[in-house]
Amino acid sequence: MYIHIVNDHHIDREGTLGAVLVTGCSSGIGRETALALVRAGFPVWASARDAGRLAELERAGCRVLELDVTDERSRIEAVRRVEAEHGAIGVLINNAGHGGGGPVEEVPLDLVRDVFETNVFAPVRMCQLVLPGMRERRGGVIVNLGSAAGLVTPPTGCPYAMSKYAMESLCDALRLETAPFGIRVVLVEPGAVRTQFLANSDRRTPKVAGDSPYAVFAENVVKMTDRAHRPGAHGVLEPADVAKVIVKAVTARRPKARYKIGSQARVAPLARRLLGDRGWDAFLRRLVPFPAPR
């Protein structure tokens, strides 16, 4: 039996953990996570809606497959394909997701549904599909991608932040339910990451009209976001930083329930608790000015 050693932990790749399925691997965190795990010696299945964008991962040693996490047939076929070869999925990394936001009064409900379909309902369903195999083997790891936005809601953060708050609750419930079967559940909570995520989110988010009562506020939110993500900005992570933590969580004998990554994820929730509701709201009003209505 082949034993792989990572971070001083003995991991039986085909026994204790088995195959790794990563969703949303076409770029960013998913891509770097698949690369990090295959380089560590794990059998990795990298997935994306368009498998044609996974050529680099295939050359690196990943198996690749097409997976639209919002499509039931696609989800079932992907899980069955991996299980047919490995018997069960040992590690599920629910990374696929997208953003979107705006003032609550104006955000289209279709956008809210779309974000929740990808960011919440899809991870829940992927867990449902892999858990029977994990229970039968009495072991497995599920890593869900949360966000600092699930700890502290940014202005105009609906519905993205809402979806990430939902992941907090999902992981708390799932962790207790699956522990008796030897299944470990981990929530990764990164702060700002230098990826195409913001650009992709902007394409999905309707522009706030110039005559909207929230126009100036929304413009100031954009300015704040641009400052926070500018080149060289303090605290902005690279996708590889997050992937490194995911590998650590997967290979740990007793992983933490949550991994806060970066200063934003660690400092902002602490400041939020110390300031209280009124203090935090006052801080955000100074950070993102909202002129009094005329």
Side-chain angles (χ1 to χ4, degrees):
M1 182 178 293
Y2 186 90
I3 299 294
H4 183 61
I5 300 177
V6 182
N7 296 338
D8 297 325
H9 296 292
H10 294 261
I11 304 296
D12 174 359
R13 297 180 307 182
E14 297 297 335
T16 304
L17 288 183
V20 180
L21 174 59
V22 188
T23 68
C25 293
S26 58
S27 63
I29 294 171
R31 173 186 172 278
E32 291 299 323
T33 298
L35 284 172
L37 285 166
V38 79
R39 288 167 180 166
F42 293 98
V44 175
W45 291 71
S47 68
R49 288 186 178 184
D50 180 5
R53 299 180 62 184
L54 304 177
E56 180 187 358
L57 296 181
E58 190 169 25
R59 289 193 296 270
C62 295
R63 304 287 297 277
V64 301
L65 52 78
E66 189 171 294
L67 170 57
D68 178 353
V69 296
T70 65
D71 182 83
E72 179 68 355
R73 179 177 296 179
S74 180
R75 292 184 294 229
I76 292 173
E77 289 179 355
V79 171
R80 284 179 176 173
R81 183 175 169 189
V82 180
E83 290 183 338
E85 186 161 331
H86 298 273
I89 291 173
V91 180
L92 171 65
I93 299 176
N94 276 318
N95 167 74
H98 65 74
V104 173
E105 182 180 346
E106 299 182 351
V107 68
L109 284 180
D110 284 346
L111 175 61
V112 177
R113 294 186 183 99
D114 184 44
V115 169
F116 268 73
E117 192 68 49
T118 301
N119 294 6
V120 181
F121 303 148
V124 169
R125 184 58 179 145
M126 291 301 297
C127 290
Q128 291 175 339
L129 290 171
V130 305
L131 278 170
M134 289 184 175
R135 283 192 295 100
E136 185 176 351
R137 297 180 62 209
R138 289 295 190 267
V141 181
I142 295 175
V143 178
N144 290 319
L145 263 292
S147 169
L151 300 169
V152 176
T153 304
T156 68
C158 169
Y160 175 71
M162 294 167 58
S163 73
K164 292 306 179 180
Y165 268 84
M167 294 303 289
E168 299 281 329
S169 179
L170 167 65
C171 290
D172 282 345
L174 189 62
R175 193 173 62 252
L176 292 172
E177 295 164 2
T178 60
F181 303 101
I183 299 167
R184 293 162 283 170
V185 177
V186 173
L187 180 62
V188 174
E189 303 163 320
V193 184
R194 205 177 305 282
T195 67
Q196 293 298 311
F197 181 82
L198 281 179
N200 293 337
S201 298
D202 286 343
R203 286 194 289 270
R204 293 177 176 271
T205 302
K207 300 301 180 185
V208 177
D211 60 352
S212 165
Y214 305 99
V216 175
F217 184 54
E219 182 180 349
N220 288 335
V221 170
V222 171
K223 291 178 181 178
M224 177 198 70
T225 304
D226 289 345
R227 288 196 304 270
H229 291 81
R230 70 186 185 279
H234 176 71
V236 179
L237 302 162
E238 296 295 334
D241 298 327
V242 183
K244 183 179 179 180
V245 174
I246 292 174
V247 173
K248 178 181 178 181
V250 167
T251 58
R253 284 196 179 97
R254 297 183 63 187
K256 296 190 293 185
R258 287 170 169 79
Y259 288 83
K260 294 180 175 63
I261 311 174
S263 58
Q264 291 182 6
R266 292 193 296 268
V267 175
L270 176 61
R272 173 74 176 78
R273 287 195 298 273
L274 292 175
L275 290 173
D277 293 332
R278 292 181 179 177
W280 181 253
D281 287 355
F283 168 74
L284 285 183
R285 290 191 194 100
R286 294 185 62 184
L287 188 66
V288 187
F290 192 166
R294 296 177 180 176

